[in-house]
């Protein structure tokens, strides 16, 4: 390229130099080697152009090149010169839409200010709107103020609306908006934002005006969005897809590309996630790990000491080393050399310390690094049993700094607090740990909001699994023990999802006047009506099939309705008698639930194991330490059930058989105790010490509940009875209706010949007393539509609990009503989500609140296999209670076909006996009739199940696997 003729027309001279600068800069951008000499020549040509004619556009062109030089070489002088040139254009009315790009690192506040000035001058300029959105996003990344992120999203949306359909910037705006929604999803756990971010970035990549030069950057943003969606939805394809994109970018670009460090860092973080997930760990090899670790070390060696990427690179290396340490423990089954483990942990801590030192103290990233550093030091303390007091103090200091950060996310604060709890428990400082735990519990509603989607709530609960149980354990160990506080904390922080659904399905039994004897509702009718209107608006389903623009607007409207709903609830609580509207149960309310028998709350955590007895008259507490017994029932009896039963007997809360009807006891398991068979331990191991002077042994009927709130809900629904008129020839006679669904043959599953036998056994037991219909091999719609119109639902078939997503646990049915052979090869799923959405509220007051019964003769219908959701109790039996069945018979594990048939027949026979005999007498036996009409009381259901199980128990004796899976949930 020849030098321009300086004797010619100044305009021509300028144009030639400017063309030279542009050509050289384009050559630099397109080259794989990113030759620094080319960029240097482009910068020189730009300066010569400026010397011939100075205008805003040329100043900005020169500033752009200087900015690129700064990015490549971290040359602070180039940055300062770039800022000076750029700011000299502020006085003009137009300026450059890209001006604030040069101010991000050094002058972020100035960047936002200048962008706002530009938008004020030209509010419809898409470039300025987009630029303001980007600068607000940058400030959010530095400081973490969520207001900046929301504003950023708003202005980026406006830039999309302002841009023409053929604008060359449209792909960039789409990708930019997707990236910002990803950030919001990371902060809030919003699944809709996670989906939308991926879709928008893909739309930008595929847009007809997309530039080839922008593709690497946009692909890297897609990789980040996919990784974020994996963390939210656990779809392995997302994370593996992100890794494929990053690996491809690293393979196809020059080692001097300034974006490589970010790509390596992101790939390393993804590898860390994979290492911590056993089910996908096989997707990476030790060679993969060594390669990415080597890439990080090379990149760190090449970066200047003050380079802005060093912090993220150090953090990525630290996280990867910690993840590899955890994976090594798993692969060696805990037999790893302790010295090797400590070495890896110390190395991880060293690199996280480096990362923390390289970011600003008031930045959002600093809060994250402080938390990670504190957690890694806590892990070191745990590995040495807290021997290094200085290390423990340092760990707690780092975690405390993370918690105190101005804009740290609630989820991040909860994680840091739980790390502090671990550290404080190492020194047995339960008082301080209890105070911290209370802080974390107060943050829980911000993480798992009442009006978020079920998917979002489940994600939040999995991220905070066990928090309420830990709070309970700490309260019982702090000082003299805080039993009432422990129970209230347990109710506040567990069973959140089911509790929200109970509130949304009907009356708020926790503050309803007819339940509490509180004043009438006249003064709050307006607010309650507004609450129902907003609740409907918030719960309106928004699908991915809707147009992106429409879906975005609906999501924004929904978020606004959530805020209005929160204010509406506050107004309702301000009225006399409604102070506890939609709040967790207080201890006074819990005690009223023990009117028919004591409630035993069993809480087991890493901190300790406890059982708390709730009774109307007397309360007691018994602490037992964990045991590693191999046989479950003997261990369960010795460490938990026996001490509880003896305490109940000492308090006079057990009735002796022969003098009174059997005693009822409700079990509520928390933590790892959520699926323990307490009833089986009682049946096998109740001791002769409980005999009275007449050798009458205490007879205990065990029932279960997922929480005290769930028990209150079931009892509220069952304030009436299931009535049956024996005079079925009368015109007004109404028989109890039973629907039996049998799935003897389920597509792609083992045949269950006993299902048909079970259906016939139920029908035979019902005789002409109950109206019994059998529905063989129905489809989902058939069953779903009939559930609201029956009294008793009985299912005999396959049940599936999803260990990763409890909301997908289901009963198996046919998928389609078609008789076509292909259709019959498909399987239908009546999921927990579909069941819980059914409302069984009767239309007339006379028929409302009837205790309907659901018998689920299927595998594990009362078991939670998703361990991180154990405290929520989201199993199929709980879903039927949400649908309005106050009594549910479920199973803790798979049951034998023949036993299911026998239990079902005896269960309905007992119900028939009670129905035709006028209930149970004081001795617990069916009466001799005389009531007209007769009724099935709450107690009758539990007694009928106990009698039904007694026959296989007598047959199989010490083999509880055969007879003990069946349990009763309800009042």
């Amino acid at each position: 390229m020849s030098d321009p003729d300086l004797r010619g027309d100044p305009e021509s001279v300028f144009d030639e130099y400017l063309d030279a600068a542009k050509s050289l800069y384009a050559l630099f951008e397109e080259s794989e080697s990113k030759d620094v000499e080319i960029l240097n020549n482009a910068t020189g040509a730009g300066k010569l152009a400026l010397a011939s004619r100075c205008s805003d556009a040329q100043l900005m062109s020169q500033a752009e090149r200087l900015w690129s030089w700064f990015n490549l070489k971290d040359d602070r002088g180039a940055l300062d010169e770039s800022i000076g040139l750029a700011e000299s254009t502020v006085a003009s009315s137009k300026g450059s839409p890209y001006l604030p790009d040069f101010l991000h690192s050094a002058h972020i506040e100035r960047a936002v200010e200048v962008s706002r000035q530009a938008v004020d001058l030209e509010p419809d300029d898409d470039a300025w709107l987009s630029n303001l959105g980007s600068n607000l996003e940058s400030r959010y990344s530095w400081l973490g103020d969520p207001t900046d992120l929301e504003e950023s999203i708003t202005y980026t949306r406006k830039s999309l609306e302002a841009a023409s359909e053929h604008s060359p910037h449209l792909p960039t705006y789409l990708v930019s908006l997707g990236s910002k929604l990803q950030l919001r999803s990371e902060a809030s756990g919003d699944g809709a934002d996670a989906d939308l971010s991926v879709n928008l970035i893909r739309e930008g990549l595929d847009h007809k005006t997309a530039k080839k030069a922008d593709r690497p950057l946009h692909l890297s943003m897609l990789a980040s969005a996919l990784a974020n969606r994996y963390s939210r939805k656990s779809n392995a394809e997302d994370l593996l897809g992100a890794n494929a994109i990053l690996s491809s970018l690293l393979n196809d670009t020059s080692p001097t590309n300034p974006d490589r460090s970010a790509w390596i860092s992101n790939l390393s973080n993804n590898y860390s996630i994979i290492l911590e997930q056993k089910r996908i760990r096989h997707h990476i090899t030790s060679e993969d790990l060594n390669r990415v670790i080597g890439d990080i070390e090379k990149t760190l060696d090449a970066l200047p000491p003050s380079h802005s990427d060093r912090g993220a690179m150090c953090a990525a290396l630290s996280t990867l080393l910690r993840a590899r340490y955890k994976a090594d423990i798993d692969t060696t089954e805990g037999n790893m050399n302790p010295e090797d483990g400590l070495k890896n942990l110390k190395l991880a801590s060293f690199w996280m310390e480096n990362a923390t030192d390289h970011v600003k103290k008031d930045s959002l990233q600093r809060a994250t690094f402080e938390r990670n550093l504190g957690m890694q030091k806590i892990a070191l303390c745990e590995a040495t049993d807290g021997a290094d007091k200085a290390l423990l103090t340092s760990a707690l200091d780092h975690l405390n700094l993370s918690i105190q950060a101005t804009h740290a996310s609630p989820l991040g604060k909860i994680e840091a607090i739980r790390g502090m709890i671990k550290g404080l428990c190492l020194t047995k400082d339960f008082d301080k740990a209890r105070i911290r735990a209370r802080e974390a519990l107060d943050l829980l509603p911000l993480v798992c909001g009442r009006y978020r989607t079920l998917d979002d709530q489940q994600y939040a609960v999995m991220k905070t699994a066990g928090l309420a149980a830990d709070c309970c354990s700490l309260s019982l160990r702090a000082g003299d023990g805080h039993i009432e506080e422990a129970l209230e904390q347990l109710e506040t922080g567990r069973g959140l999802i089911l509790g929200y659904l109970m509130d949304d399905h009907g009356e708020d039994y926790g503050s309803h006047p007819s339940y509490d004897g509180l004043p009438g509702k006249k003064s709050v009718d307006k607010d309650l009506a507004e609450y129902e209107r907003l609740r409907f608006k918030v719960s309106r389903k928004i699908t991915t099939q809707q147009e992106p623009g429409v879906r975005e607007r609906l999501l924004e409207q929904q978020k606004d309705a959530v805020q209005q709903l929160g204010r509406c609830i506050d107004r309702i609580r301000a009225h006399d008698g409604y102070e506890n509207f939609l709040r967790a149960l207080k201890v006074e309310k819990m005690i009223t639930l023990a009117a028919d028998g004591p409630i035993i709350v069993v809480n087991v955590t890493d901190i300790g194991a406890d059982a708390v007895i709730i009774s109307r008259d007397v309360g007691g507490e018994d602490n037992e330490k964990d045991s590693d017994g191999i046989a479950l029932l003997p261990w369960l009896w010795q460490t938990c059930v026996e001490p509880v039963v003896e305490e109940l007997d000492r308090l006079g809360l057990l009735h002796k058989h022969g003098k009174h009807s059997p005693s009822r006891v409700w079990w509520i398991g928390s933590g790892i105790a959520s699926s323990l068979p307490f009833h089986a331990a009682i049946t096998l191991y109740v001791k002769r010490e409980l005999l009275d002077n007449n050798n009458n042994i205490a007879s205990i009927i065990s029932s279960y509940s997922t929480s005290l709130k769930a028990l209150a809900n079931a009892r509220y629904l069952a304030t009436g009875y299931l009535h049956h008129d024996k005079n079925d020839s009368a015109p007004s006679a109404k028989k109890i209706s039973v629907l039996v669904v049998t799935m003897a043959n389920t597509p792609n599953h083992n045949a269950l010949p006993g299902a048909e036998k079970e259906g016939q056994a139920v029908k035979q037991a019902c005789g002409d007393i109950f109206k019994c219909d059998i529905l063989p091999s129905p489809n989902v719609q058939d069953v779903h539509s009939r559930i609201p119109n029956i009294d008793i639902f009985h299912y005999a078939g396959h049940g599936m609990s999803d260990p990763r997503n409890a909301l997908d646990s289901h009963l198996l049915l046919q998928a389609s009503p078609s008789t076509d052979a292909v259709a019959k090869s498909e399987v239908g799923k009546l999921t927990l989500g579909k069941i819980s959405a059914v409302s069984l509220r009767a239309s007339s007051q006379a028929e409302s609140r009837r205790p309907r019964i659901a018998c689920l003769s299927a595998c594990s219908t009362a078991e939670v296999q998703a361990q991180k959701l154990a405290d929520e109790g989201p199993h199929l039996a709980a879903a039927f209670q949400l649908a309005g069945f106050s009594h549910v018979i479920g199973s803790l594990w798979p049951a034998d076909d023949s036993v299911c048939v026998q239990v079902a027949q005896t269960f309905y026979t007992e119900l028939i006996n009670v129905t035709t005999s006028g209930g149970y007498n004081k001795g617990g036996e069916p009466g001799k009739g005389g009531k007209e009409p007769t009724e099935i009381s709450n107690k009758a259901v539990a007694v009928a199940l106990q009698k039904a199980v007694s026959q296989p128990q007598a047959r199989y004796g010490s083999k509880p696997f055969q007879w003990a899976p069946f349990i009763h949930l309800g009042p």
Side-chain angles (χ1 to χ4, degrees), residues 323-339:
R324 187 170 69 172
Y325 162 74
K326 291 181 179 178
D328 288 344
I329 291 179
D330 289 339
T331 53
T332 59
E333 297 182 350
N335 296 319
M336 185 173 62
N337 186 323
E339 291 301 319

Side-chain angles (χ1 to χ4, degrees), residues 243-291:
N243 286 355
I245 291 171
L246 293 169
S247 297
S248 176
L249 287 171
L250 289 168
N251 290 334
D252 296 342
T253 56
S254 164
T256 59
N257 188 301
D259 293 323
R260 283 183 65 87
S261 59
W263 299 342
I264 293 171
S265 176
N266 290 342
L267 183 61
S268 173
N269 288 331
N270 292 351
Y271 276 9
S272 300
I273 296 170
I274 291 176
L275 283 175
E276 296 196 11
Q277 303 294 323
K278 292 182 181 179
R279 65 188 178 89
I280 59 174
R281 192 179 288 163
H282 63 278
H283 286 290
I284 56 175
T285 65
S286 56
E287 289 78 13
D288 294 328
L289 287 177
N290 292 333
R291 182 169 58 252

